[in-house]
């Protein structure tokens, strides 16, 4: 069974920092894209930052210059360093990956369970 295990959410004051981690575990053959989305109450889920299938790094305009996505390929893990947090950054953050599970031959999209980020003003 393949899982995306997230950690690092919590409560922080505006202007503060948090670091989210997401580790893919299980029988994985290949990961071609991995990153983070977020969903605030009453809003659609949106991209935050992602390593794309071509290896590029994509950020939402709203987080550029404040958030940094990094990865540890050896451990199938991505990290989202969030700085200068604003109340509007508050949301449930979801890890996302396009991967091939052992025994399959196609990429499929997987999601983590989500981690709450709360930013107090």
């Amino acid at each position: 069974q393949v899982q995306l295990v997230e950690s690092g959410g919590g409560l922080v004051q505006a202007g503060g920092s948090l670091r989210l981690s997401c580790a893919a575990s299980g029988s994985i053959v290949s990961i071609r894209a991995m990153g983070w989305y977020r969903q605030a109450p009453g809003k659609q889920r949106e991209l935050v930052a992602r390593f794309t299938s071509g290896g590029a790094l994509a950020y939402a305009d709203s987080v550029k210059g404040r958030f940094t996505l990094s990865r540890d390929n050896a451990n199938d893990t991505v990290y989202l360093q969030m700085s200068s947090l604003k109340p509007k950054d508050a949301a449930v953050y979801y890890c996302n990956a396009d991967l091939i599970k052992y025994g399959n031959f196609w990429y499929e999209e997987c999601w983590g369970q989500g981690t709450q980020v709360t930013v107090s003003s």
Side-chain angles (χ1 to χ4, degrees):
Q1 183 179 0
V2 172
Q3 287 184 307
L4 300 180
V5 181
E6 302 145 333
S7 61
L11 172 65
V12 65
Q13 287 188 330
S17 299
L18 279 176
R19 189 191 195 209
L20 305 182
S21 300
C22 173
S25 65
S27 299
I28 299 169
V29 174
S30 174
I31 300 176
R32 71 177 177 185
M34 194 167 179
W36 291 90
Y37 288 71
R38 68 186 181 188
Q39 188 167 20
K43 295 189 176 182
Q44 289 189 330
R45 192 172 296 188
E46 63 176 2
L47 171 71
V48 177
R50 180 175 170 88
F51 288 105
T52 69
S53 59
L57 188 52
Y59 289 102
D61 287 343
S62 60
V63 308
K64 285 180 180 177
R66 300 188 297 121
F67 291 10
T68 301
L69 185 67
S70 61
R71 62 186 171 184
D72 177 355
N73 289 332
N75 292 297
D76 291 335
T77 300
V78 292
Y79 304 95
L80 184 67
Q81 179 66 47
M82 304 185 293
S83 303
S84 301
L85 281 160
K86 305 174 181 180
K88 66 179 181 179
D89 294 317
V92 177
Y93 283 68
Y94 295 92
C95 183
N96 171 274
D98 291 343
L99 52 82
I100 299 177
K101 298 178 181 179
Y102 184 80
N104 294 343
F105 301 95
W106 57 90
Y107 283 98
E108 59 186 281
E109 187 175 48
C110 292
W111 292 92
Q113 79 283 0
T115 185
Q116 178 71 49
V117 171
T118 303
V119 184
S120 63
S121 58

